[in-house]
Amino acid sequence: MVNFIEAQKPLLKRLMRMAGLRPIDVEVEPGTTMHIWVPKHHVSKKAGTIRPLDNGVGGVDAAEKSEALSRRGRKKSPESRPNVVLIHGFAAEGILTWQFNFGVLVSRYNLYIPDMLFFGKSTTASADRSPEFQAECLAKALARLGVARCDVVGFSYGGMVAFKLAETRPDLVRSLAVSGSVVAMTDAVNSATMARLGAGSSTELLMPETLKGLKALLSISMYKKMWFPDRFYKDYLKAMFSHRKERIELLQGLITSNMDAKIPTFQQKIMLIWGEEDKIFDIELAKKMKEQLGDGCSLHGIPKAGHLLHVERPCAYNRQLQRFLAHVNSPQEDEQEQAARTAGGVN
């Protein structure tokens, strides 16, 4: 019998290809491979080879970039576009998470849509399940692709990985757009969230084994009450919760002690895009986080949207994301960033 969730993947993959994206597997280190949808100019006609970016952002110096652009004329090449990385949440891999969002970005940006480790086709032999390790592997994969500077968009679990990436690699991450997430999942935040939702643990909530558990998860994740037949839930359970043991370990690896938790000082501009009816990480938590992150952080709430705001209200979400990315990639912002990097001794 056809699994409805799996059946939509070939269509999504075809749409991704029509948009100029291609799937590749990047060996980050021995035993660790990350599956990523990348701009097609990365994929060589010679099977199995990866072509890094050849622009100034991707690793070639400014003189070479200028000469290359002169040869090509005034037309902006695909390789010269800003790089944007979309990091998925815990319930689905990259292309399913961002299926309503990538289309509005792909003509202006080089999009990179990874499957984090133990999602989709990404795997590792390492025992490390921390968000720091996920961020480290993603940074290495982007380096293999020649991406030296990018804007990062993260949802839920992907937002936590995005924050770690920005914290540990400020040279790589230019800006952050995050929704439905926290900088760090402390004991206090985890306990308060589970108590408010009536869940015994994050594993019970996010890794359901029954139709009842999955229905409860979708119910608290969305503002609108939507009906689906039981067949949909059964197919979702079969399709989306593979690598169960490893994903439970990923959830356990998120929790940090209250004593160890500190809000880093981020150099990047940060936009928090929030569903005003988010029941998992509510808007009050987002407001508190904005204050903690300082002047470089802004918050935009989207009404009548829950945790899955990019799915429930994709047009509203996409508008805010597009505005933010256009702002951080404007010539004025580029000049300010270059001046700051020069003053800080970064080339």
Side-chain angles (χ1 to χ4, degrees):
M1 189 176 290
V2 174
N3 185 302
F4 288 134
I5 303 300
E6 290 292 346
Q8 71 171 310
K9 290 184 181 179
L11 175 59
L12 279 175
K13 291 176 181 178
R14 183 172 182 178
L15 291 174
M16 300 281 278
R17 287 182 174 276
M18 289 173 63
L21 300 175
R22 299 291 184 270
I24 60 172
D25 294 315
V26 180
E27 186 178 30
V28 174
E29 58 188 36
T32 300
T33 301
M34 188 162 278
H35 185 75
I36 310 178
W37 283 84
V38 303
K40 64 182 179 181
H41 53 256
H42 278 299
V43 181
S44 173
K45 292 181 180 179
K46 185 178 180 181
T49 61
I50 299 172
R51 286 170 21 194
L53 285 176
D54 64 354
N55 61 14
V57 176
V60 177
D61 64 33
E64 290 176 295
K65 177 184 177 184
S66 177
E67 183 181 348
L69 291 177
S70 295
R71 288 197 302 268
R72 295 169 184 159
R74 293 186 177 182
K75 186 177 179 181
K76 196 171 185 180
S77 68
E79 294 91 336
S80 66
R81 297 169 182 162
N83 305 312
V84 174
V85 181
L86 305 179
I87 309 180
H88 63 79
F90 207 81
E93 62 201 66
I95 62 171
L96 287 174
T97 297
W98 303 110
Q99 60 183 295
F100 301 118
N101 317 108
F102 78 90
V104 302
L105 302 173
V106 74
S107 64
R108 296 186 178 183
Y109 304 98
N110 287 325
L111 286 190
Y112 298 84
I113 308 178
D115 290 340
M116 303 313 293
L117 300 173
F118 299 114
F119 295 86
K121 296 181 180 179
S122 297
T123 60
T124 182
S126 171
D128 194 335
R129 300 291 183 261
S130 67
E132 290 89 347
F133 183 66
Q134 293 271 23
E136 177 188 340
C137 289
L138 179 55
K140 289 180 178 177
L142 292 172
R144 286 285 311 275
L145 295 167
V147 177
R149 197 74 171 153
C150 61
D151 304 296
V152 179
V153 182
F155 162 67
S156 197
Y157 176 74
M160 299 179 209
V161 175
F163 276 123
K164 285 298 178 186
L165 187 62
E167 177 188 355
T168 57
R169 291 294 306 275
D171 59 308
L172 172 63
V173 180
R174 181 210 306 265
S175 71
L176 283 177
V178 172
S179 60
S181 190
V182 290
V183 177
M185 179 63 84
T186 64
D187 291 326
V189 170
N190 182 64
S191 297
T193 302
M194 294 305 110
R196 188 177 69 254
L197 298 174
S201 67
S202 56
T203 298
E204 177 187 321
L205 177 68
L206 297 174
M207 293 294 294
E209 297 184 81
T210 64
L211 296 188
K212 181 180 178 181
L214 180 57
K215 288 179 180 180
L217 174 59
L218 290 181
S219 176
I220 64 172
S221 297
M222 304 184 77
Y223 167 70
K224 298 175 183 176
K225 304 303 179 185
M226 301 184 69
W227 179 88
F228 298 102
D230 284 351
R231 170 71 185 279
F232 169 86
Y233 293 106
K234 290 177 182 178
D235 287 351
Y236 195 95
L237 281 173
K238 291 176 183 177
M240 303 314 301
F241 294 106
S242 59
H243 295 294
R244 187 174 188 85
K245 173 180 176 293
E246 292 82 3
R247 291 200 199 180
I248 290 173
E249 292 169 351
L250 289 177
L251 287 174
Q252 294 168 344
L254 280 177
I255 310 299
T256 60
S257 167
N258 295 332
M259 299 294 293
D260 296 333
K262 295 180 181 178
I263 299 294
T265 301
F266 289 99
Q267 301 176 20
Q268 299 90 347
K269 279 188 168 56
I270 301 173
M271 164 69 88
L272 304 178
I273 310 175
W274 228 261
E276 292 184 0
E277 305 299 330
D278 193 328
K279 295 184 180 71
I280 297 178
F281 296 120
D282 61 35
I283 191 71
E284 295 304 317
L285 179 63
K287 291 176 181 177
K288 182 179 179 181
M289 188 162 59
K290 175 188 177 299
E291 295 303 315
Q292 293 173 327
L293 291 171
D295 294 338
C297 179
S298 58
L299 168 64
H300 183 87
I302 295 180
K304 297 183 180 180
H307 191 66
L308 293 171
L309 71 164
H310 61 291
V311 175
E312 274 194 291
R313 298 205 58 198
C315 293
Y317 175 87
N318 290 343
R319 279 195 299 270
Q320 293 306 318
L321 180 58
Q322 285 176 289
R323 288 171 184 168
F324 176 68
L325 291 175
H327 172 68
V328 296
N329 286 286
S330 66
Q332 295 85 350
E333 286 295 313
D334 283 342
E335 291 174 6
Q336 291 179 17
E337 181 192 24
Q338 187 57 46
R341 287 164 65 84
T342 301
V346 180
N347 294 324

